[in-house]
Amino acid sequence: MPRPTQARGVSSDASQLASWYASVPVVTRAIVTATITTTIAARLRVISPFMLGLYWPLIWNKFHIWRLLTGFLIHKFNVNLFNTIMMFIMLYQYTADLERGEFAGRTADFAWFIVFCMGAMSAVTWLTQTMCLAEGVLMAVITLWSLHRQEQIVSFYFGFKFPA
């Protein structure tokens, strides 16, 4: 029975949000949700950010294998909130666009692309000791996106336009 304040046939904001979330492609939904959740939990100190970063000595000596994944889900701590929010928006926009376009119907291929990029970045971090790699995943996605749209004109931040 509909509530008195809500007309019949009109969905609530929560159900609209839930239907939008369900419409997001699977890999995009997983990556964006995990990145936002992990970064916010670390910023609010629900979990120590130092327990999440990719730090090879603890992976080898203490068997902290979760760091192989969480290091790619956490955004840097020393950047302002605007940069973090922009990173989340861009991560959603470009991963969803790739998954709906070039990887339409090939979810496993897109997931493999992300895993391969994470593996390659992990090999490099062995030398550089970088702990937070969410921006690296974003840059890999943006690079692939722009390679498939070389002629498309894109608008950046405050209306600057240039080819992808």
Side-chain angles (χ1 to χ4, degrees):
M1 175 179 224
R3 291 191 280 176
T5 60
Q6 186 177 358
R8 187 176 279 201
V10 176
S11 61
S12 69
D13 291 339
S15 66
Q16 288 176 352
L17 182 63
S19 64
W20 168 80
Y21 186 74
S23 73
V24 175
V26 169
V27 176
T28 300
R29 185 172 52 225
I31 290 172
V32 172
T33 301
T35 302
I36 290 173
T37 305
T38 306
T39 302
I40 289 175
R43 281 194 177 251
L44 295 176
R45 302 289 192 238
V46 173
I47 187 167
S48 171
F50 302 106
M51 290 296 297
L52 302 173
L54 183 65
Y55 187 61
W56 285 105
L58 290 177
I59 293 170
W60 287 115
N61 299 331
K62 303 272 185 176
F63 204 60
H64 288 190
I65 58 171
W66 66 86
R67 292 176 181 271
L68 292 170
L69 178 64
T70 58
F72 293 97
L73 301 176
I74 191 162
H75 193 254
K76 294 178 183 173
F77 315 119
N78 59 350
V79 295
N80 63 25
L81 186 60
F82 178 75
N83 287 345
T84 303
I85 291 171
M86 288 305 296
M87 185 240 172
F88 293 152
I89 291 169
M90 289 171 39
L91 184 65
Y92 166 73
Q93 178 183 355
Y94 292 112
T95 54
D97 199 25
L98 275 175
E99 198 168 359
R100 288 181 180 131
E102 285 71 26
F103 291 98
R106 300 183 312 144
T107 303
D109 290 343
F110 188 59
W112 176 245
F113 164 72
I114 298 293
V115 169
F116 179 79
C117 290
M118 288 177 169
M121 284 184 265
S122 293
V124 172
T125 61
W126 181 266
L127 302 171
T128 63
Q129 297 299 314
T130 306
M131 294 178 69
C132 301
L133 298 162
E135 287 179 353
V137 172
L138 175 61
M139 290 301 115
V141 167
I142 288 175
T143 300
L144 184 64
W145 183 90
S146 65
L147 286 172
H148 286 281
R149 291 163 181 79
Q150 293 177 1
E151 302 302 320
Q152 182 175 337
I153 302 296
V154 294
S155 180
F156 188 69
Y157 280 113
F158 303 107
F160 298 109
K161 296 183 184 230
F162 52 89

